[in-house]
Amino acid sequence: MKIKNSVIWAMLFMAVIASGQSPYISVTAEKGDGVYSLLRKQGVDPYETFDDFIALNHENLRDSIHLYEGRTYFMPSTDSIPVVEDLKEAKPKSENAISYPIFGNKYAEVTTKSSKLKGTVYYLISGHGGPDPGAMTKFGNVYISEDEYAYDITLRLARELIAHGALVYVIIRDEDDGIRDDRILEMDKDEVAFPDKTIPLNQVARLKQRVDIVNELHKKHSGQFQRLIVTHVDSRSKGQNIDVFFYHHAESKNGKKLAENIHSTFAKKYRKYQPNRTYSGTFVDRTSLYLVKKTHPAMTFIEIGNIKNKKDQKRILEPDNRQALAKWISEGVISDFEEGEIGPIR
C-alpha cells in the first residue's frame, strides 16, 4: 500500500537506517535532473511516487522540491512502486486502458485511475494558437510562445481528467504535437479548433469561434455536470514574478467555486512543497474577458505565469513542472466536482 503521510515516511526511514537494514536505493542527481525525471530514470511511475520521494528527501531539497546536482537521494521501496512501461510500444491490456493519439505516442495510452469524474464533461481551451502564438519572448537564441506551453499543460490536464472518468473536449488541438517532454517547444501554426476548423486570423473571430464551439457542445450535453477551463500564459515586464492566478464570471457561483477549489489546491501544494515562500495567486471575477463573458458552462480562466520572467519561465519550461501544474489543477477539479453544484446559475 502506498504511504502518503510524510511523518510516517520519515519515521520508517529513520528506523531502518538505525537498524542498518535499508530497503532504499540511493541515486545521484545529475545536471538537469528534476524529481520527476530522476524517478523516471529509475523505472518507477513519477506521478504515483512523487509525494513519497519528497517525504524521504525533504531535508536534501532546495525550496522543498528541487534537486541539488551531485547529491544522493533515496528512492522509496521498490516493493510497492508500480513500474513504468514504455508507452511507445504499449498496447491496451484491459478495458481500463484506452489509447488517445492526440497525446502523442509516449502518452497515448491512458489507464483509468478512478471513476471520481464519471458523468462529467470538461471543455479545455489553451490560449491563442493557429495564426496567433500569443505572448512571445526570446529564450537564449530561440523564441518561445504562449500557445505551445498552454497547449502542453492543457493536454496533460486532459489526460489526468480522462484517467478519472471525465469526458474531455480539447477545443484547440494540434494533432502532431502530443505531450512533449522538451524544455523548448517548437513553434508552429497548424493548430485547429475542434473538431478540425481553421482558426481565423482576426482576434474577435477566433474568440467567437471558440465560444460557439463550447456553447454548442454545452447544449448537446444539457443536464450533465459541465465545466470549461481556459489556460493562458501572461506577458508582463521581465522583473515581475507572478504566481498562478484565476478568473471567473462575476455572476457565476459555480465558476467562482471551481476557481476557488483549484486556487485552494495550489495554496496547499505551495505550503507543502515550498513552505519558505508565500503563494500569492488570486481568484477574482473578470467578466470583461470575451470567453468568460460569452461561454455558457461554469468556467475558470487560468494564467500560468509571466513568460518573460526568469522564475516563471522555470514553471513552464520544465516538463516536470508542467505536469505538476496539470496534476494540481486536476486535483482542484476533482474537489470541485465532489462538492457538487451551487444552485442553477451557470
Side-chain angles (χ1 to χ4, degrees), residues 15-57:
V16 294
I17 293 299
S19 67
Q21 299 176 348
S22 175
Y24 301 103
I25 298 171
S26 61
V27 295
T28 301
E30 300 177 353
K31 184 177 181 179
D33 275 342
V35 174
Y36 283 99
S37 60
L38 186 69
L39 290 167
R40 197 178 290 117
K41 284 180 181 180
Q42 303 307 310
V44 299
D45 188 331
Y47 310 124
E48 293 295 328
T49 58
F50 180 85
D51 287 349
D52 296 342
F53 180 91
I54 296 296
L56 275 176
N57 298 281

mmCIF file of all heavy atoms in Angstrom, residues 15-57:
data_model
loop_
_atom_site.group_PDB
_atom_site.id
_atom_site.type_symbol
_atom_site.label_atom_id
_atom_site.label_comp_id
_atom_site.label_asym_id
_atom_site.label_seq_id
_atom_site.Cartn_x
_atom_site.Cartn_y
_atom_site.Cartn_z
ATOM 1 N N ALA A 15 14.023 4.618 11.188
ATOM 2 C CA ALA A 15 14.062 3.330 11.871
ATOM 3 C C ALA A 15 14.922 2.321 11.119
ATOM 4 O O ALA A 15 15.739 1.614 11.711
ATOM 5 C CB ALA A 15 12.644 2.785 12.034
ATOM 6 N N VAL A 16 14.745 2.266 9.795
ATOM 7 C CA VAL A 16 15.506 1.277 9.037
ATOM 8 C C VAL A 16 16.982 1.664 8.958
ATOM 9 O O VAL A 16 17.863 0.798 8.941
ATOM 10 C CB VAL A 16 14.932 1.091 7.616
ATOM 11 C CG1 VAL A 16 13.554 0.485 7.671
ATOM 12 C CG2 VAL A 16 14.925 2.394 6.839
ATOM 13 N N ILE A 17 17.280 2.968 8.918
ATOM 14 C CA ILE A 17 18.674 3.394 8.897
ATOM 15 C C ILE A 17 19.346 3.024 10.218
ATOM 16 O O ILE A 17 20.478 2.547 10.270
ATOM 17 C CB ILE A 17 18.781 4.909 8.648
ATOM 18 C CG1 ILE A 17 18.308 5.236 7.222
ATOM 19 C CG2 ILE A 17 20.184 5.400 8.864
ATOM 20 C CD1 ILE A 17 19.125 4.580 6.139
ATOM 21 N N ALA A 18 18.615 3.253 11.324
ATOM 22 C CA ALA A 18 19.174 2.939 12.640
ATOM 23 C C ALA A 18 19.439 1.446 12.782
ATOM 24 O O ALA A 18 20.381 1.024 13.447
ATOM 25 C CB ALA A 18 18.210 3.408 13.735
ATOM 26 N N SER A 19 18.598 0.633 12.151
ATOM 27 C CA SER A 19 18.758 -0.815 12.277
ATOM 28 C C SER A 19 19.820 -1.354 11.341
ATOM 29 O O SER A 19 20.204 -2.516 11.426
ATOM 30 C CB SER A 19 17.426 -1.519 11.974
ATOM 31 O OG SER A 19 17.081 -1.346 10.611
ATOM 32 N N GLY A 20 20.273 -0.496 10.392
ATOM 33 C CA GLY A 20 21.278 -0.952 9.445
ATOM 34 C C GLY A 20 20.695 -1.755 8.304
ATOM 35 O O GLY A 20 21.430 -2.311 7.499
ATOM 36 N N GLN A 21 19.372 -1.822 8.186
ATOM 37 C CA GLN A 21 18.720 -2.589 7.132
ATOM 38 C C GLN A 21 17.869 -1.643 6.309
ATOM 39 O O GLN A 21 16.718 -1.373 6.628
ATOM 40 C CB GLN A 21 17.855 -3.694 7.726
ATOM 41 C CG GLN A 21 18.628 -4.697 8.549
ATOM 42 C CD GLN A 21 17.719 -5.713 9.180
ATOM 43 O OE1 GLN A 21 16.504 -5.572 9.189
ATOM 44 N NE2 GLN A 21 18.303 -6.762 9.705
ATOM 45 N N SER A 22 18.431 -1.088 5.244
ATOM 46 C CA SER A 22 17.704 -0.112 4.441
ATOM 47 C C SER A 22 17.188 -0.722 3.147
ATOM 48 O O SER A 22 17.949 -1.294 2.384
ATOM 49 C CB SER A 22 18.610 1.072 4.100
ATOM 50 O OG SER A 22 17.938 1.944 3.226
ATOM 51 N N PRO A 23 15.860 -0.594 2.881
ATOM 52 C CA PRO A 23 15.310 -1.075 1.622
ATOM 53 C C PRO A 23 15.409 -0.024 0.527
ATOM 54 O O PRO A 23 14.902 -0.215 -0.570
ATOM 55 C CB PRO A 23 13.839 -1.319 1.985
ATOM 56 C CG PRO A 23 13.536 -0.244 2.975
ATOM 57 C CD PRO A 23 14.817 -0.076 3.765
ATOM 58 N N TYR A 24 16.052 1.098 0.800
ATOM 59 C CA TYR A 24 16.058 2.213 -0.131
ATOM 60 C C TYR A 24 17.278 2.193 -1.038
ATOM 61 O O TYR A 24 18.403 1.977 -0.602
ATOM 62 C CB TYR A 24 16.000 3.536 0.633
ATOM 63 C CG TYR A 24 14.779 3.642 1.488
ATOM 64 C CD1 TYR A 24 14.849 3.454 2.859
ATOM 65 C CD2 TYR A 24 13.534 3.895 0.910
ATOM 66 C CE1 TYR A 24 13.703 3.531 3.640
ATOM 67 C CE2 TYR A 24 12.395 3.980 1.678
ATOM 68 C CZ TYR A 24 12.483 3.784 3.051
ATOM 69 O OH TYR A 24 11.355 3.854 3.821
ATOM 70 N N ILE A 25 17.025 2.476 -2.308
ATOM 71 C CA ILE A 25 18.089 2.609 -3.288
ATOM 72 C C ILE A 25 18.546 4.063 -3.281
ATOM 73 O O ILE A 25 17.727 4.977 -3.255
ATOM 74 C CB ILE A 25 17.578 2.236 -4.693
ATOM 75 C CG1 ILE A 25 17.116 0.784 -4.722
ATOM 76 C CG2 ILE A 25 18.638 2.485 -5.756
ATOM 77 C CD1 ILE A 25 16.407 0.401 -6.010
ATOM 78 N N SER A 26 19.849 4.292 -3.303
ATOM 79 C CA SER A 26 20.354 5.661 -3.359
ATOM 80 C C SER A 26 20.798 5.967 -4.789
ATOM 81 O O SER A 26 21.420 5.143 -5.452
ATOM 82 C CB SER A 26 21.522 5.853 -2.388
ATOM 83 O OG SER A 26 22.594 5.001 -2.712
ATOM 84 N N VAL A 27 20.447 7.159 -5.263
ATOM 85 C CA VAL A 27 20.811 7.582 -6.612
ATOM 86 C C VAL A 27 21.370 8.998 -6.544
ATOM 87 O O VAL A 27 21.053 9.759 -5.631
ATOM 88 C CB VAL A 27 19.599 7.539 -7.565
ATOM 89 C CG1 VAL A 27 19.115 6.113 -7.757
ATOM 90 C CG2 VAL A 27 18.464 8.413 -7.055
ATOM 91 N N THR A 28 22.193 9.339 -7.503
ATOM 92 C CA THR A 28 22.815 10.660 -7.535
ATOM 93 C C THR A 28 22.172 11.506 -8.624
ATOM 94 O O THR A 28 22.017 11.068 -9.762
ATOM 95 C CB THR A 28 24.329 10.549 -7.808
ATOM 96 O OG1 THR A 28 24.919 9.746 -6.776
ATOM 97 C CG2 THR A 28 24.979 11.922 -7.810
ATOM 98 N N ALA A 29 21.786 12.719 -8.261
ATOM 99 C CA ALA A 29 21.166 13.629 -9.221
ATOM 100 C C ALA A 29 22.220 14.186 -10.171
ATOM 101 O O ALA A 29 23.276 14.643 -9.749
ATOM 102 C CB ALA A 29 20.471 14.768 -8.485
ATOM 103 N N GLU A 30 21.932 14.108 -11.450
ATOM 104 C CA GLU A 30 22.830 14.637 -12.467
ATOM 105 C C GLU A 30 22.358 16.012 -12.928
ATOM 106 O O GLU A 30 21.240 16.435 -12.618
ATOM 107 C CB GLU A 30 22.891 13.679 -13.661
ATOM 108 C CG GLU A 30 23.402 12.291 -13.296
ATOM 109 C CD GLU A 30 23.378 11.334 -14.473
ATOM 110 O OE1 GLU A 30 22.833 11.713 -15.533
ATOM 111 O OE2 GLU A 30 23.901 10.211 -14.342
ATOM 112 N N LYS A 31 23.192 16.702 -13.672
ATOM 113 C CA LYS A 31 22.846 18.032 -14.172
ATOM 114 C C LYS A 31 21.560 17.958 -14.996
ATOM 115 O O LYS A 31 21.427 17.110 -15.877
ATOM 116 C CB LYS A 31 23.983 18.594 -15.020
ATOM 117 C CG LYS A 31 23.743 20.020 -15.493
ATOM 118 C CD LYS A 31 24.941 20.555 -16.268
ATOM 119 C CE LYS A 31 24.689 21.992 -16.705
ATOM 120 N NZ LYS A 31 25.859 22.564 -17.442
ATOM 121 N N GLY A 32 20.613 18.837 -14.691
ATOM 122 C CA GLY A 32 19.358 18.870 -15.430
ATOM 123 C C GLY A 32 18.266 17.994 -14.857
ATOM 124 O O GLY A 32 17.121 18.049 -15.313
ATOM 125 N N ASP A 33 18.589 17.167 -13.862
ATOM 126 C CA ASP A 33 17.581 16.287 -13.269
ATOM 127 C C ASP A 33 16.571 17.069 -12.444
ATOM 128 O O ASP A 33 16.926 17.979 -11.688
ATOM 129 C CB ASP A 33 18.242 15.245 -12.353
ATOM 130 C CG ASP A 33 18.728 14.024 -13.103
ATOM 131 O OD1 ASP A 33 18.268 13.813 -14.238
ATOM 132 O OD2 ASP A 33 19.554 13.280 -12.532
ATOM 133 N N GLY A 34 15.309 16.705 -12.583
ATOM 134 C CA GLY A 34 14.258 17.143 -11.687
ATOM 135 C C GLY A 34 13.752 15.911 -10.960
ATOM 136 O O GLY A 34 14.158 14.789 -11.275
ATOM 137 N N VAL A 35 12.864 16.088 -10.012
ATOM 138 C CA VAL A 35 12.352 14.936 -9.263
ATOM 139 C C VAL A 35 11.681 13.940 -10.200
ATOM 140 O O VAL A 35 11.939 12.734 -10.150
ATOM 141 C CB VAL A 35 11.373 15.380 -8.156
ATOM 142 C CG1 VAL A 35 10.740 14.162 -7.488
ATOM 143 C CG2 VAL A 35 12.090 16.227 -7.115
ATOM 144 N N TYR A 36 10.834 14.429 -11.095
ATOM 145 C CA TYR A 36 10.120 13.532 -11.997
ATOM 146 C C TYR A 36 11.082 12.772 -12.902
ATOM 147 O O TYR A 36 10.943 11.562 -13.109
ATOM 148 C CB TYR A 36 9.118 14.311 -12.854
ATOM 149 C CG TYR A 36 7.858 14.699 -12.128
ATOM 150 C CD1 TYR A 36 7.695 15.974 -11.604
ATOM 151 C CD2 TYR A 36 6.814 13.796 -11.970
ATOM 152 C CE1 TYR A 36 6.539 16.345 -10.936
ATOM 153 C CE2 TYR A 36 5.649 14.153 -11.303
ATOM 154 C CZ TYR A 36 5.512 15.428 -10.791
ATOM 155 O OH TYR A 36 4.370 15.781 -10.141
ATOM 156 N N SER A 37 12.068 13.476 -13.477
ATOM 157 C CA SER A 37 12.992 12.806 -14.392
ATOM 158 C C SER A 37 13.869 11.802 -13.653
ATOM 159 O O SER A 37 14.192 10.731 -14.187
ATOM 160 C CB SER A 37 13.862 13.829 -15.121
ATOM 161 O OG SER A 37 14.637 14.598 -14.214
ATOM 162 N N LEU A 38 14.251 12.107 -12.411
ATOM 163 C CA LEU A 38 15.059 11.173 -11.628
ATOM 164 C C LEU A 38 14.274 9.900 -11.336
ATOM 165 O O LEU A 38 14.794 8.783 -11.470
ATOM 166 C CB LEU A 38 15.507 11.827 -10.320
ATOM 167 C CG LEU A 38 16.490 11.007 -9.466
ATOM 168 C CD1 LEU A 38 17.840 10.913 -10.158
ATOM 169 C CD2 LEU A 38 16.659 11.635 -8.084
ATOM 170 N N LEU A 39 13.014 10.062 -10.954
ATOM 171 C CA LEU A 39 12.171 8.890 -10.696
ATOM 172 C C LEU A 39 11.967 8.076 -11.970
ATOM 173 O O LEU A 39 12.019 6.839 -11.962
ATOM 174 C CB LEU A 39 10.814 9.332 -10.139
ATOM 175 C CG LEU A 39 10.815 9.907 -8.729
ATOM 176 C CD1 LEU A 39 9.482 10.584 -8.415
ATOM 177 C CD2 LEU A 39 11.099 8.822 -7.702
ATOM 178 N N ARG A 40 11.742 8.795 -13.079
ATOM 179 C CA ARG A 40 11.510 8.116 -14.350
ATOM 180 C C ARG A 40 12.728 7.297 -14.765
ATOM 181 O O ARG A 40 12.601 6.187 -15.295
ATOM 182 C CB ARG A 40 11.168 9.156 -15.412
ATOM 183 C CG ARG A 40 10.505 8.588 -16.652
ATOM 184 C CD ARG A 40 10.164 9.701 -17.635
ATOM 185 N NE ARG A 40 9.081 10.532 -17.151
ATOM 186 C CZ ARG A 40 9.193 11.816 -16.872
ATOM 187 N NH1 ARG A 40 10.364 12.416 -16.998
ATOM 188 N NH2 ARG A 40 8.173 12.517 -16.456
ATOM 189 N N LYS A 41 13.936 7.812 -14.508
ATOM 190 C CA LYS A 41 15.164 7.100 -14.851
ATOM 191 C C LYS A 41 15.297 5.781 -14.085
ATOM 192 O O LYS A 41 15.936 4.840 -14.545
ATOM 193 C CB LYS A 41 16.389 7.974 -14.539
ATOM 194 C CG LYS A 41 16.647 9.086 -15.536
ATOM 195 C CD LYS A 41 17.875 9.876 -15.122
ATOM 196 C CE LYS A 41 18.158 11.022 -16.069
ATOM 197 N NZ LYS A 41 19.369 11.783 -15.637
ATOM 198 N N GLN A 42 14.693 5.747 -12.891
ATOM 199 C CA GLN A 42 14.770 4.543 -12.064
ATOM 200 C C GLN A 42 13.664 3.541 -12.406
ATOM 201 O O GLN A 42 13.538 2.508 -11.760
ATOM 202 C CB GLN A 42 14.699 4.905 -10.582
ATOM 203 C CG GLN A 42 15.778 5.873 -10.131
ATOM 204 C CD GLN A 42 17.180 5.413 -10.509
ATOM 205 O OE1 GLN A 42 17.542 4.267 -10.235
ATOM 206 N NE2 GLN A 42 17.959 6.269 -11.147
ATOM 207 N N GLY A 43 12.863 3.865 -13.432
ATOM 208 C CA GLY A 43 11.839 2.927 -13.898
ATOM 209 C C GLY A 43 10.600 2.871 -13.038
ATOM 210 O O GLY A 43 9.912 1.845 -13.003
ATOM 211 N N VAL A 44 10.305 3.957 -12.316
ATOM 212 C CA VAL A 44 9.097 3.974 -11.496
ATOM 213 C C VAL A 44 8.185 5.094 -11.980
ATOM 214 O O VAL A 44 8.608 6.008 -12.686
ATOM 215 C CB VAL A 44 9.412 4.166 -9.992
ATOM 216 C CG1 VAL A 44 10.264 3.026 -9.486
ATOM 217 C CG2 VAL A 44 10.114 5.488 -9.737
ATOM 218 N N ASP A 45 6.926 5.009 -11.605
ATOM 219 C CA ASP A 45 5.940 5.987 -12.022
ATOM 220 C C ASP A 45 6.134 7.270 -11.216
ATOM 221 O O ASP A 45 5.863 7.294 -10.020
ATOM 222 C CB ASP A 45 4.532 5.421 -11.802
ATOM 223 C CG ASP A 45 3.448 6.314 -12.397
ATOM 224 O OD1 ASP A 45 3.670 7.537 -12.479
ATOM 225 O OD2 ASP A 45 2.387 5.782 -12.757
ATOM 226 N N PRO A 46 6.596 8.363 -11.839
ATOM 227 C CA PRO A 46 6.882 9.583 -11.078
ATOM 228 C C PRO A 46 5.646 10.230 -10.491
ATOM 229 O O PRO A 46 5.717 10.920 -9.481
ATOM 230 C CB PRO A 46 7.552 10.495 -12.119
ATOM 231 C CG PRO A 46 7.051 10.009 -13.429
ATOM 232 C CD PRO A 46 6.892 8.517 -13.276
ATOM 233 N N TYR A 47 4.488 10.019 -11.120
ATOM 234 C CA TYR A 47 3.276 10.674 -10.644
ATOM 235 C C TYR A 47 2.671 9.952 -9.444
ATOM 236 O O TYR A 47 1.966 10.541 -8.635
ATOM 237 C CB TYR A 47 2.261 10.773 -11.783
ATOM 238 C CG TYR A 47 2.901 11.356 -13.029
ATOM 239 C CD1 TYR A 47 2.867 10.675 -14.239
ATOM 240 C CD2 TYR A 47 3.581 12.561 -12.966
ATOM 241 C CE1 TYR A 47 3.489 11.196 -15.356
ATOM 242 C CE2 TYR A 47 4.208 13.088 -14.085
ATOM 243 C CZ TYR A 47 4.158 12.404 -15.279
ATOM 244 O OH TYR A 47 4.776 12.913 -16.385
ATOM 245 N N GLU A 48 2.981 8.660 -9.297
ATOM 246 C CA GLU A 48 2.491 7.897 -8.157
ATOM 247 C C GLU A 48 3.424 7.992 -6.953
ATOM 248 O O GLU A 48 3.013 7.783 -5.817
ATOM 249 C CB GLU A 48 2.310 6.422 -8.549
ATOM 250 C CG GLU A 48 1.209 6.160 -9.552
ATOM 251 C CD GLU A 48 -0.164 6.479 -8.997
ATOM 252 O OE1 GLU A 48 -0.352 6.310 -7.784
ATOM 253 O OE2 GLU A 48 -1.036 6.909 -9.765
ATOM 254 N N THR A 49 4.704 8.273 -7.200
ATOM 255 C CA THR A 49 5.697 8.197 -6.122
ATOM 256 C C THR A 49 6.294 9.551 -5.730
ATOM 257 O O THR A 49 7.148 9.611 -4.856
ATOM 258 C CB THR A 49 6.855 7.265 -6.543
ATOM 259 O OG1 THR A 49 7.434 7.760 -7.754
ATOM 260 C CG2 THR A 49 6.350 5.852 -6.771
ATOM 261 N N PHE A 50 5.836 10.617 -6.372
ATOM 262 C CA PHE A 50 6.409 11.940 -6.123
ATOM 263 C C PHE A 50 6.343 12.326 -4.648
ATOM 264 O O PHE A 50 7.339 12.727 -4.045
ATOM 265 C CB PHE A 50 5.679 12.989 -6.975
ATOM 266 C CG PHE A 50 6.193 14.392 -6.797
ATOM 267 C CD1 PHE A 50 7.288 14.845 -7.526
ATOM 268 C CD2 PHE A 50 5.589 15.264 -5.898
ATOM 269 C CE1 PHE A 50 7.752 16.137 -7.368
ATOM 270 C CE2 PHE A 50 6.058 16.560 -5.734
ATOM 271 C CZ PHE A 50 7.143 16.990 -6.469
ATOM 272 N N ASP A 51 5.152 12.209 -4.038
ATOM 273 C CA ASP A 51 4.988 12.615 -2.637
ATOM 274 C C ASP A 51 5.874 11.809 -1.699
ATOM 275 O O ASP A 51 6.440 12.329 -0.737
ATOM 276 C CB ASP A 51 3.519 12.470 -2.216
ATOM 277 C CG ASP A 51 2.636 13.553 -2.821
ATOM 278 O OD1 ASP A 51 3.177 14.519 -3.384
ATOM 279 O OD2 ASP A 51 1.409 13.422 -2.744
ATOM 280 N N ASP A 52 6.000 10.496 -1.976
ATOM 281 C CA ASP A 52 6.826 9.637 -1.132
ATOM 282 C C ASP A 52 8.306 10.030 -1.234
ATOM 283 O O ASP A 52 9.043 10.040 -0.241
ATOM 284 C CB ASP A 52 6.664 8.172 -1.536
ATOM 285 C CG ASP A 52 5.239 7.668 -1.310
ATOM 286 O OD1 ASP A 52 4.499 8.320 -0.538
ATOM 287 O OD2 ASP A 52 4.864 6.642 -1.884
ATOM 288 N N PHE A 53 8.740 10.358 -2.451
ATOM 289 C CA PHE A 53 10.122 10.780 -2.655
ATOM 290 C C PHE A 53 10.411 12.065 -1.884
ATOM 291 O O PHE A 53 11.441 12.187 -1.219
ATOM 292 C CB PHE A 53 10.396 10.983 -4.153
ATOM 293 C CG PHE A 53 11.798 11.425 -4.453
ATOM 294 C CD1 PHE A 53 12.796 10.498 -4.705
ATOM 295 C CD2 PHE A 53 12.138 12.778 -4.475
ATOM 296 C CE1 PHE A 53 14.098 10.900 -4.971
ATOM 297 C CE2 PHE A 53 13.425 13.196 -4.734
ATOM 298 C CZ PHE A 53 14.410 12.253 -4.982
ATOM 299 N N ILE A 54 9.495 13.039 -1.986
ATOM 300 C CA ILE A 54 9.674 14.319 -1.281
ATOM 301 C C ILE A 54 9.758 14.093 0.223
ATOM 302 O O ILE A 54 10.587 14.696 0.922
ATOM 303 C CB ILE A 54 8.524 15.285 -1.613
ATOM 304 C CG1 ILE A 54 8.539 15.656 -3.099
ATOM 305 C CG2 ILE A 54 8.599 16.538 -0.741
ATOM 306 C CD1 ILE A 54 9.755 16.424 -3.537
ATOM 307 N N ALA A 55 8.901 13.198 0.735
ATOM 308 C CA ALA A 55 8.899 12.927 2.173
ATOM 309 C C ALA A 55 10.214 12.311 2.633
ATOM 310 O O ALA A 55 10.735 12.644 3.698
ATOM 311 C CB ALA A 55 7.734 11.999 2.516
ATOM 312 N N LEU A 56 10.778 11.425 1.831
ATOM 313 C CA LEU A 56 12.040 10.768 2.191
ATOM 314 C C LEU A 56 13.232 11.725 2.143
ATOM 315 O O LEU A 56 14.179 11.591 2.918
ATOM 316 C CB LEU A 56 12.316 9.604 1.231
ATOM 317 C CG LEU A 56 11.680 8.248 1.548
ATOM 318 C CD1 LEU A 56 11.993 7.263 0.440
ATOM 319 C CD2 LEU A 56 12.192 7.714 2.872
ATOM 320 N N ASN A 57 13.170 12.683 1.228
ATOM 321 C CA ASN A 57 14.353 13.503 0.958
ATOM 322 C C ASN A 57 14.167 14.988 1.246
ATOM 323 O O ASN A 57 14.951 15.820 0.783
ATOM 324 C CB ASN A 57 14.742 13.331 -0.526
ATOM 325 C CG ASN A 57 15.116 11.910 -0.877
ATOM 326 O OD1 ASN A 57 16.223 11.459 -0.593
ATOM 327 N ND2 ASN A 57 14.198 11.198 -1.516
#
